[in-house]
Amino acid sequence: MEDVGVSPEKGHAAVYFRADGKPSGYALYQVRQRELTVHEYIVLDDEAKKGLWTFFANHDSMVDRAYLTVPIDDTLPFEWANPRFKQEIEPYFMARIVDLKRFVEQYPFKETDRKTDLYIRVTDADASWNEAVWHIEVGPSGAARAQALSEAAASDKPVASCDIQTLTAMLIGYADAATMVKISRIGGAAEKTAEALMSVIPARTTYMTDFF
């Protein structure tokens, strides 16, 4: 474990190193007025997590309270025998797809054993170039291409419909397609499209520690 100064705003950086000398976790933290504030906390494995928490615990004579920001799927509440600490969900960054075609064609869909065809009518009040019936073809490798269809070409396709905000939330992993169907954020051929989307969108946690 190495502790180094960072800046007056962030305080110090604690870095956990494996036995082979490679770092596998870090925390940017500050101790002030008997409060430990962890601004950033990233670990690659359980060893680094235990090492950093041991490091924090060693500050018990200096700290009465601790504040920590973690991803929404952090398992810490399940790792304590009797977790009586306060937990809050705080939305931070907003996201939106600016250029749907370019975004989809660079997006890392999951690898599967077959090609997946998606037909989605997208509405976007601020970017007219995104408004179309899109045929998104996801290949077995996860590479995709997106093509805007005419209404005639889409007339016999199972077309679902949603706005750009809903599509963004699903693709960045903030919400799953089944939930969007349940709360009526996807219309048209919703259930079929939701099933297809869930088969190709990789499971990930939306979390950004950097501010810009």
Side-chain angles (χ1 to χ4, degrees):
M1 182 74 70
E2 182 176 343
D3 185 17
V4 296
V6 179
S7 69
E9 295 79 18
K10 294 293 187 179
H12 293 266
V15 184
Y16 184 85
F17 292 88
R18 299 190 185 110
D20 60 7
K22 294 182 179 179
S24 59
Y26 78 89
L28 302 183
Y29 75 98
Q30 190 173 49
V31 177
R32 181 182 294 173
Q33 297 179 348
R34 301 195 63 80
E35 291 183 351
L36 168 67
T37 302
V38 181
H39 299 286
E40 291 185 24
Y41 168 76
I42 300 293
V43 294
L44 301 182
D45 50 42
D46 287 339
E47 179 185 335
K49 178 185 286 188
K50 292 176 182 177
L52 285 171
W53 274 105
T54 299
F55 177 76
F56 295 149
N58 290 337
H59 289 75
D60 62 343
S61 63
M62 305 165 55
V63 171
D64 296 323
R65 294 183 180 178
Y67 297 90
L68 178 71
T69 301
V70 295
I72 196 169
D73 63 347
D74 187 77
T75 59
L76 186 62
F78 301 100
E79 297 179 43
W80 290 46
N82 186 18
R84 292 180 291 175
F85 45 79
K86 183 178 181 180
Q87 302 175 67
E88 295 180 340
I89 298 175
E90 182 178 342
Y92 194 30
F93 283 95
M94 301 289 285
R96 72 112 66 217
I97 296 172
V98 176
D99 187 327
L100 188 150
K101 178 177 173 61
R102 292 184 65 186
F103 182 92
V104 166
E105 293 183 347
Q106 296 179 58
Y107 184 87
F109 288 96
K110 285 197 300 189
E111 295 184 11
T112 59
D113 57 357
R114 57 185 171 79
K115 177 172 72 74
T116 302
D117 291 295
L118 301 164
Y119 298 92
I120 307 174
R121 176 178 280 103
V122 177
T123 57
D124 188 335
D126 299 305
S128 58
W129 54 88
N130 286 333
E131 290 207 311
V133 176
W134 291 94
H135 173 207
I136 301 173
E137 180 184 304
V138 182
S141 68
R145 66 185 184 91
Q147 178 184 7
L149 302 180
S150 66
E151 289 295 333
S155 62
D156 62 342
K157 306 299 183 185
V159 179
S161 59
C162 68
D163 57 27
I164 194 68
Q165 291 86 353
T166 299
L167 186 61
T168 301
M170 292 187 293
L171 290 177
I172 68 172
Y174 189 73
D176 63 79
T179 299
M180 295 294 99
V181 171
K182 185 177 180 180
I183 62 175
S184 302
R185 291 296 297 264
I186 303 177
E191 293 187 3
K192 182 175 182 178
T193 301
E195 183 179 348
L197 280 169
M198 293 179 72
S199 72
V200 295
I201 295 177
R204 56 166 60 94
T205 301
T206 307
Y207 182 60
M208 182 176 286
T209 60
D210 295 324
F211 185 83
F212 59 89

